[in-house]
Amino acid sequence: MQKQQLGMAFILGVLCFFSFQTESSAQCETWESHEEKDDIMGSYSVLQDFIDSESYSDALPYWQDVYTKSPGGSGEDAYVYQYGRDIYINFIQNETDATKRQEYVAMVQKLHEEEMVCFPDNKGVSLANLAFDMFYYLQTPYSKLMETVEQSIEIMGDKVEYSVFIPYGYAAVYNYQNELIDAEKTRNVYLSLEKIHDARVADKDPYAEYYTSAWENVKVQYETIASQIFDCNYYQNKFRPDFEAGEEDVEYLKYMVVTMKKQGCADDDAFLVEVNTKYETLAAEINAAKLEAYYAENPAAHAADLYKNEDYTGAFAKYEEAVEKEIAGENNEETLAQYYFSMASISGRKLKQYSKARSLALKASGMKSNWGQPYLLIGDLYASSSSTCGSNNWDNSLAVLAAIDKYQYAKNIDSSIESEANKKIANYRNFIPSLEDGFQRGIKEGKTVKVNCWIGEKVKIRYQ
């Protein structure tokens, strides 16, 4: 009994094998041995014309005729399967009925599978084409798409079609973001595509530019998750060749530094320190050159910075340069007034060149009507030098009167500084001459007298 069962199983196995062989043979039949060869080739010629003109509905009956009789075509290529997929993919793109769309999807899938049976030597490319269609047309789960690409890479190695780059990279990123694959798997996808791209470029592949374009797209996709899947060591290996080749792009060097720090490289890491040192050196040189060019065009800005750094002589000289540039250019009096006022402030407050400062302040006021600031400045200069003006308290107090006169004049012509002027007047009120000092000198209130020292102005006497 047992022998009989074994015998029956053997017979059934042989029949199944024969049936499979017959089916495979039928689906791979070519027109070379077909009795209707001429008619089939005629249909194929018309089919090609319709495919070339993208008239897919018109192409369908001719394709069905060829596919039914000789799906293997000439036996040298898989165009019959490819044309069929072109037709049904077009139907998928234009069909709104979900059921029909699924039928077309199933047909495209079927044609891919049959092609791989009939043209096994071309299976690597066929798998790449299948992955491409899975991504763009068949709505295949990304896990299945990734498996298909990996089978193609297993067969073709670094000669795999560039068409798999975008589907494989996109699917990996999506699956990682949705916790369907881990960081290591996602990173390995990136590294495998990088390796393939570099190999194609190094071998000067005729399609190298297409590999590069697809690879750049993958890198953009990975930017959203790069910091999550790549560590310090990865980025150091990535950046080191460029750095050792003499990279001089300061922005790229900055990107290297920022990225390595962000990915956990220690601040005292030797390579990070080396890159950062070069970045800072180049950045300083570039910034210095830019600043020098800016200062050459904007001497007033240079003067302001020199002033902040307490180089008052240098600041004054740059304001002089700014005045010359303005006079030679737009010759705007308000701008010139500001420059002269700044020069007056530096001369008087910082360089103690009082007479020069007063002259510049008056020049500034003459270029901008009803401007009280220059007179406030002159008043400050008078007040600050009052203690050294003359040989006694009387002379000192006359200088204070001169200062108060300037404050008073400033607020009379410029109401915007009235509050400031009033505060200054109040601060010096107790330093004006006393009635006792005036009587001792026989000078009545209202009399005009000249102030000694550099001030040299006349003031009307009033007492506390």
Side-chain angles (χ1 to χ4, degrees), residues 415-449:
S415 60
S416 69
I417 51 90
E418 182 176 1
S419 177
E420 184 180 0
N422 285 335
K423 288 179 182 178
K424 292 178 181 292
I425 292 171
N427 288 338
Y428 289 103
R429 198 178 304 267
N430 293 333
F431 296 96
I432 65 177
S434 67
L435 185 59
E436 181 181 354
D437 284 347
F439 282 165
Q440 288 177 357
R441 288 171 173 76
I443 300 175
K444 294 182 180 181
E445 192 166 20
K447 183 178 180 180
T448 299
V449 297

mmCIF file of all heavy atoms in Angstrom, residues 415-449:
data_model
loop_
_atom_site.group_PDB
_atom_site.id
_atom_site.type_symbol
_atom_site.label_atom_id
_atom_site.label_comp_id
_atom_site.label_asym_id
_atom_site.label_seq_id
_atom_site.Cartn_x
_atom_site.Cartn_y
_atom_site.Cartn_z
ATOM 1 N N SER A 415 12.852 122.842 20.315
ATOM 2 C CA SER A 415 12.020 122.417 21.450
ATOM 3 C C SER A 415 12.215 120.939 21.818
ATOM 4 O O SER A 415 11.899 120.528 22.914
ATOM 5 C CB SER A 415 10.545 122.668 21.132
ATOM 6 O OG SER A 415 10.148 121.933 19.979
ATOM 7 N N SER A 416 12.771 120.157 20.874
ATOM 8 C CA SER A 416 12.937 118.728 21.142
ATOM 9 C C SER A 416 13.973 118.452 22.233
ATOM 10 O O SER A 416 13.993 117.381 22.823
ATOM 11 C CB SER A 416 13.328 117.988 19.857
ATOM 12 O OG SER A 416 14.640 118.339 19.443
ATOM 13 N N ILE A 417 14.860 119.434 22.489
ATOM 14 C CA ILE A 417 15.887 119.213 23.507
ATOM 15 C C ILE A 417 15.666 120.111 24.725
ATOM 16 O O ILE A 417 16.566 120.291 25.547
ATOM 17 C CB ILE A 417 17.307 119.424 22.914
ATOM 18 C CG1 ILE A 417 17.423 120.769 22.172
ATOM 19 C CG2 ILE A 417 17.671 118.310 21.969
ATOM 20 C CD1 ILE A 417 17.851 121.900 23.005
ATOM 21 N N GLU A 418 14.454 120.653 24.831
ATOM 22 C CA GLU A 418 14.158 121.579 25.928
ATOM 23 C C GLU A 418 14.359 120.919 27.284
ATOM 24 O O GLU A 418 14.976 121.510 28.195
ATOM 25 C CB GLU A 418 12.735 122.110 25.805
ATOM 26 C CG GLU A 418 12.382 123.119 26.894
ATOM 27 C CD GLU A 418 11.001 123.720 26.698
ATOM 28 O OE1 GLU A 418 10.316 123.342 25.729
ATOM 29 O OE2 GLU A 418 10.615 124.567 27.532
ATOM 30 N N SER A 419 13.860 119.722 27.466
ATOM 31 C CA SER A 419 13.974 119.040 28.756
ATOM 32 C C SER A 419 15.433 118.812 29.129
ATOM 33 O O SER A 419 15.843 119.052 30.274
ATOM 34 C CB SER A 419 13.233 117.701 28.693
ATOM 35 O OG SER A 419 13.384 116.990 29.903
ATOM 36 N N GLU A 420 16.232 118.372 28.153
ATOM 37 C CA GLU A 420 17.647 118.126 28.397
ATOM 38 C C GLU A 420 18.370 119.423 28.753
ATOM 39 O O GLU A 420 19.201 119.461 29.675
ATOM 40 C CB GLU A 420 18.282 117.480 27.161
ATOM 41 C CG GLU A 420 19.725 117.084 27.343
ATOM 42 C CD GLU A 420 20.336 116.440 26.106
ATOM 43 O OE1 GLU A 420 19.613 116.297 25.087
ATOM 44 O OE2 GLU A 420 21.529 116.099 26.156
ATOM 45 N N ALA A 421 18.048 120.487 28.046
ATOM 46 C CA ALA A 421 18.686 121.780 28.303
ATOM 47 C C ALA A 421 18.329 122.293 29.699
ATOM 48 O O ALA A 421 19.194 122.820 30.427
ATOM 49 C CB ALA A 421 18.260 122.781 27.240
ATOM 50 N N ASN A 422 17.070 122.139 30.081
ATOM 51 C CA ASN A 422 16.638 122.595 31.404
ATOM 52 C C ASN A 422 17.374 121.865 32.526
ATOM 53 O O ASN A 422 17.717 122.461 33.560
ATOM 54 C CB ASN A 422 15.136 122.420 31.566
ATOM 55 C CG ASN A 422 14.338 123.457 30.786
ATOM 56 O OD1 ASN A 422 14.851 124.554 30.508
ATOM 57 N ND2 ASN A 422 13.106 123.139 30.442
ATOM 58 N N LYS A 423 17.599 120.572 32.347
ATOM 59 C CA LYS A 423 18.336 119.796 33.360
ATOM 60 C C LYS A 423 19.765 120.310 33.501
ATOM 61 O O LYS A 423 20.297 120.428 34.613
ATOM 62 C CB LYS A 423 18.357 118.319 32.986
ATOM 63 C CG LYS A 423 17.023 117.623 33.152
ATOM 64 C CD LYS A 423 17.110 116.159 32.750
ATOM 65 C CE LYS A 423 15.758 115.477 32.874
ATOM 66 N NZ LYS A 423 15.818 114.051 32.449
ATOM 67 N N LYS A 424 20.377 120.616 32.380
ATOM 68 C CA LYS A 424 21.751 121.123 32.420
ATOM 69 C C LYS A 424 21.803 122.498 33.106
ATOM 70 O O LYS A 424 22.710 122.779 33.899
ATOM 71 C CB LYS A 424 22.327 121.205 31.000
ATOM 72 C CG LYS A 424 22.559 119.841 30.342
ATOM 73 C CD LYS A 424 23.075 119.994 28.922
ATOM 74 C CE LYS A 424 23.277 118.638 28.243
ATOM 75 N NZ LYS A 424 24.371 117.858 28.837
ATOM 76 N N ILE A 425 20.848 123.352 32.770
ATOM 77 C CA ILE A 425 20.792 124.673 33.398
ATOM 78 C C ILE A 425 20.634 124.537 34.906
ATOM 79 O O ILE A 425 21.314 125.223 35.693
ATOM 80 C CB ILE A 425 19.633 125.501 32.796
ATOM 81 C CG1 ILE A 425 19.939 125.855 31.332
ATOM 82 C CG2 ILE A 425 19.382 126.768 33.617
ATOM 83 C CD1 ILE A 425 18.764 126.471 30.586
ATOM 84 N N ALA A 426 19.754 123.635 35.319
ATOM 85 C CA ALA A 426 19.524 123.428 36.748
ATOM 86 C C ALA A 426 20.778 122.907 37.440
ATOM 87 O O ALA A 426 21.089 123.283 38.582
ATOM 88 C CB ALA A 426 18.364 122.453 36.944
ATOM 89 N N ASN A 427 21.522 122.051 36.759
ATOM 90 C CA ASN A 427 22.731 121.472 37.349
ATOM 91 C C ASN A 427 23.797 122.527 37.646
ATOM 92 O O ASN A 427 24.597 122.381 38.587
ATOM 93 C CB ASN A 427 23.325 120.412 36.418
ATOM 94 C CG ASN A 427 22.482 119.144 36.381
ATOM 95 O OD1 ASN A 427 21.721 118.888 37.314
ATOM 96 N ND2 ASN A 427 22.624 118.374 35.314
ATOM 97 N N TYR A 428 23.828 123.587 36.819
ATOM 98 C CA TYR A 428 24.890 124.589 36.974
ATOM 99 C C TYR A 428 24.408 125.895 37.623
ATOM 100 O O TYR A 428 25.173 126.842 37.766
ATOM 101 C CB TYR A 428 25.515 124.894 35.601
ATOM 102 C CG TYR A 428 26.358 123.751 35.085
ATOM 103 C CD1 TYR A 428 25.877 122.899 34.090
ATOM 104 C CD2 TYR A 428 27.631 123.516 35.611
ATOM 105 C CE1 TYR A 428 26.630 121.851 33.629
ATOM 106 C CE2 TYR A 428 28.398 122.462 35.149
ATOM 107 C CZ TYR A 428 27.895 121.621 34.160
ATOM 108 O OH TYR A 428 28.653 120.570 33.716
ATOM 109 N N ARG A 429 23.155 125.950 38.047
ATOM 110 C CA ARG A 429 22.607 127.186 38.605
ATOM 111 C C ARG A 429 23.386 127.659 39.829
ATOM 112 O O ARG A 429 23.579 128.855 40.054
ATOM 113 C CB ARG A 429 21.136 126.982 38.948
ATOM 114 C CG ARG A 429 20.366 128.288 39.132
ATOM 115 C CD ARG A 429 18.913 127.970 39.430
ATOM 116 N NE ARG A 429 18.340 127.132 38.378
ATOM 117 C CZ ARG A 429 17.692 127.601 37.335
ATOM 118 N NH1 ARG A 429 17.546 128.890 37.202
ATOM 119 N NH2 ARG A 429 17.201 126.790 36.431
ATOM 120 N N ASN A 430 23.831 126.724 40.646
ATOM 121 C CA ASN A 430 24.547 127.098 41.874
ATOM 122 C C ASN A 430 25.976 127.578 41.629
ATOM 123 O O ASN A 430 26.666 127.977 42.575
ATOM 124 C CB ASN A 430 24.576 125.924 42.853
ATOM 125 C CG ASN A 430 23.188 125.586 43.389
ATOM 126 O OD1 ASN A 430 22.326 126.466 43.454
ATOM 127 N ND2 ASN A 430 22.969 124.324 43.739
ATOM 128 N N PHE A 431 26.413 127.490 40.333
ATOM 129 C CA PHE A 431 27.795 127.885 40.036
ATOM 130 C C PHE A 431 27.887 129.248 39.339
ATOM 131 O O PHE A 431 28.974 129.667 38.966
ATOM 132 C CB PHE A 431 28.466 126.812 39.163
ATOM 133 C CG PHE A 431 28.596 125.483 39.851
ATOM 134 C CD1 PHE A 431 27.640 124.482 39.659
ATOM 135 C CD2 PHE A 431 29.650 125.245 40.716
ATOM 136 C CE1 PHE A 431 27.763 123.266 40.295
ATOM 137 C CE2 PHE A 431 29.771 124.019 41.360
ATOM 138 C CZ PHE A 431 28.820 123.027 41.153
ATOM 139 N N ILE A 432 26.754 129.923 39.198
ATOM 140 C CA ILE A 432 26.824 131.263 38.605
ATOM 141 C C ILE A 432 27.344 132.238 39.665
ATOM 142 O O ILE A 432 27.358 131.933 40.866
ATOM 143 C CB ILE A 432 25.450 131.700 38.054
ATOM 144 C CG1 ILE A 432 24.426 131.845 39.168
ATOM 145 C CG2 ILE A 432 24.953 130.708 37.006
ATOM 146 C CD1 ILE A 432 23.072 132.350 38.678
ATOM 147 N N PRO A 433 27.788 133.434 39.257
ATOM 148 C CA PRO A 433 28.420 134.351 40.224
ATOM 149 C C PRO A 433 27.502 134.685 41.414
ATOM 150 O O PRO A 433 26.267 134.749 41.266
ATOM 151 C CB PRO A 433 28.716 135.596 39.398
ATOM 152 C CG PRO A 433 28.776 135.116 37.988
ATOM 153 C CD PRO A 433 27.783 134.003 37.894
ATOM 154 N N SER A 434 28.156 134.888 42.561
ATOM 155 C CA SER A 434 27.396 135.321 43.746
ATOM 156 C C SER A 434 27.329 136.849 43.761
ATOM 157 O O SER A 434 28.207 137.534 43.230
ATOM 158 C CB SER A 434 28.061 134.817 45.017
ATOM 159 O OG SER A 434 29.311 135.453 45.211
ATOM 160 N N LEU A 435 26.275 137.375 44.395
ATOM 161 C CA LEU A 435 26.105 138.833 44.494
ATOM 162 C C LEU A 435 27.266 139.473 45.248
ATOM 163 O O LEU A 435 27.748 140.558 44.894
ATOM 164 C CB LEU A 435 24.784 139.134 45.218
ATOM 165 C CG LEU A 435 24.374 140.605 45.318
ATOM 166 C CD1 LEU A 435 24.237 141.221 43.918
ATOM 167 C CD2 LEU A 435 23.086 140.738 46.108
ATOM 168 N N GLU A 436 27.776 138.752 46.211
ATOM 169 C CA GLU A 436 28.891 139.265 47.026
ATOM 170 C C GLU A 436 30.126 139.461 46.154
ATOM 171 O O GLU A 436 30.791 140.510 46.246
ATOM 172 C CB GLU A 436 29.178 138.292 48.161
ATOM 173 C CG GLU A 436 30.305 138.749 49.080
ATOM 174 C CD GLU A 436 30.581 137.759 50.193
ATOM 175 O OE1 GLU A 436 29.815 136.775 50.303
ATOM 176 O OE2 GLU A 436 31.562 137.956 50.911
ATOM 177 N N ASP A 437 30.421 138.450 45.303
ATOM 178 C CA ASP A 437 31.587 138.576 44.412
ATOM 179 C C ASP A 437 31.419 139.746 43.457
ATOM 180 O O ASP A 437 32.371 140.476 43.149
ATOM 181 C CB ASP A 437 31.788 137.283 43.613
ATOM 182 C CG ASP A 437 32.403 136.177 44.437
ATOM 183 O OD1 ASP A 437 32.899 136.480 45.534
ATOM 184 O OD2 ASP A 437 32.367 135.006 43.989
ATOM 185 N N GLY A 438 30.219 139.962 42.999
ATOM 186 C CA GLY A 438 29.973 141.050 42.061
ATOM 187 C C GLY A 438 30.129 142.412 42.704
ATOM 188 O O GLY A 438 30.729 143.326 42.108
ATOM 189 N N PHE A 439 29.612 142.584 43.943
ATOM 190 C CA PHE A 439 29.745 143.852 44.632
ATOM 191 C C PHE A 439 31.198 144.174 44.935
ATOM 192 O O PHE A 439 31.624 145.335 44.871
ATOM 193 C CB PHE A 439 28.918 143.827 45.918
ATOM 194 C CG PHE A 439 27.442 144.020 45.672
ATOM 195 C CD1 PHE A 439 26.520 143.723 46.661
ATOM 196 C CD2 PHE A 439 26.982 144.518 44.461
ATOM 197 C CE1 PHE A 439 25.157 143.914 46.443
ATOM 198 C CE2 PHE A 439 25.621 144.718 44.248
ATOM 199 C CZ PHE A 439 24.698 144.415 45.240
ATOM 200 N N GLN A 440 31.955 143.134 45.309
ATOM 201 C CA GLN A 440 33.369 143.359 45.615
ATOM 202 C C GLN A 440 34.106 143.911 44.394
ATOM 203 O O GLN A 440 35.082 144.673 44.521
ATOM 204 C CB GLN A 440 34.025 142.059 46.088
ATOM 205 C CG GLN A 440 33.601 141.634 47.486
ATOM 206 C CD GLN A 440 34.213 140.310 47.894
ATOM 207 O OE1 GLN A 440 34.915 139.678 47.094
ATOM 208 N NE2 GLN A 440 33.956 139.890 49.131
ATOM 209 N N ARG A 441 33.628 143.531 43.222
ATOM 210 C CA ARG A 441 34.288 143.973 41.987
ATOM 211 C C ARG A 441 33.594 145.207 41.382
ATOM 212 O O ARG A 441 33.998 145.717 40.342
ATOM 213 C CB ARG A 441 34.313 142.824 40.974
ATOM 214 C CG ARG A 441 35.312 141.740 41.373
ATOM 215 C CD ARG A 441 35.179 140.511 40.479
ATOM 216 N NE ARG A 441 36.236 139.562 40.756
ATOM 217 C CZ ARG A 441 36.293 138.760 41.801
ATOM 218 N NH1 ARG A 441 35.319 138.824 42.725
ATOM 219 N NH2 ARG A 441 37.303 137.926 41.968
ATOM 220 N N GLY A 442 32.530 145.624 42.019
ATOM 221 C CA GLY A 442 31.817 146.799 41.522
ATOM 222 C C GLY A 442 31.103 146.545 40.216
ATOM 223 O O GLY A 442 30.956 147.454 39.401
ATOM 224 N N ILE A 443 30.651 145.307 40.011
ATOM 225 C CA ILE A 443 29.990 144.953 38.755
ATOM 226 C C ILE A 443 28.506 144.717 39.030
ATOM 227 O O ILE A 443 28.137 143.855 39.825
ATOM 228 C CB ILE A 443 30.614 143.678 38.145
ATOM 229 C CG1 ILE A 443 32.106 143.908 37.851
ATOM 230 C CG2 ILE A 443 29.870 143.284 36.866
ATOM 231 C CD1 ILE A 443 32.828 142.683 37.366
ATOM 232 N N LYS A 444 27.697 145.524 38.392
ATOM 233 C CA LYS A 444 26.266 145.413 38.601
ATOM 234 C C LYS A 444 25.663 144.344 37.677
ATOM 235 O O LYS A 444 26.192 144.053 36.611
ATOM 236 C CB LYS A 444 25.605 146.755 38.324
ATOM 237 C CG LYS A 444 25.982 147.842 39.300
ATOM 238 C CD LYS A 444 25.252 149.133 38.977
ATOM 239 C CE LYS A 444 25.622 150.231 39.968
ATOM 240 N NZ LYS A 444 24.897 151.493 39.669
ATOM 241 N N GLU A 445 24.528 143.829 38.125
ATOM 242 C CA GLU A 445 23.804 142.828 37.330
ATOM 243 C C GLU A 445 23.360 143.458 36.011
ATOM 244 O O GLU A 445 22.917 144.609 35.967
ATOM 245 C CB GLU A 445 22.591 142.309 38.097
ATOM 246 C CG GLU A 445 21.958 141.068 37.451
ATOM 247 C CD GLU A 445 20.974 140.369 38.375
ATOM 248 O OE1 GLU A 445 20.485 140.997 39.320
ATOM 249 O OE2 GLU A 445 20.727 139.177 38.145
ATOM 250 N N GLY A 446 23.522 142.720 34.918
ATOM 251 C CA GLY A 446 23.149 143.214 33.596
ATOM 252 C C GLY A 446 24.325 143.738 32.807
ATOM 253 O O GLY A 446 24.212 143.978 31.591
ATOM 254 N N LYS A 447 25.440 143.950 33.492
ATOM 255 C CA LYS A 447 26.616 144.450 32.790
ATOM 256 C C LYS A 447 27.209 143.338 31.920
ATOM 257 O O LYS A 447 27.207 142.166 32.278
ATOM 258 C CB LYS A 447 27.659 144.935 33.786
ATOM 259 C CG LYS A 447 28.887 145.545 33.114
ATOM 260 C CD LYS A 447 29.875 146.066 34.126
ATOM 261 C CE LYS A 447 31.089 146.678 33.442
ATOM 262 N NZ LYS A 447 32.063 147.200 34.421
ATOM 263 N N THR A 448 27.753 143.716 30.781
ATOM 264 C CA THR A 448 28.377 142.738 29.879
ATOM 265 C C THR A 448 29.870 142.683 30.141
ATOM 266 O O THR A 448 30.539 143.730 30.150
ATOM 267 C CB THR A 448 28.130 143.119 28.413
ATOM 268 O OG1 THR A 448 26.719 143.124 28.158
ATOM 269 C CG2 THR A 448 28.801 142.129 27.473
ATOM 270 N N VAL A 449 30.350 141.447 30.340
ATOM 271 C CA VAL A 449 31.788 141.259 30.571
ATOM 272 C C VAL A 449 32.279 140.118 29.696
ATOM 273 O O VAL A 449 31.513 139.269 29.244
ATOM 274 C CB VAL A 449 32.076 140.942 32.053
ATOM 275 C CG1 VAL A 449 31.660 142.102 32.964
ATOM 276 C CG2 VAL A 449 31.388 139.661 32.479
#
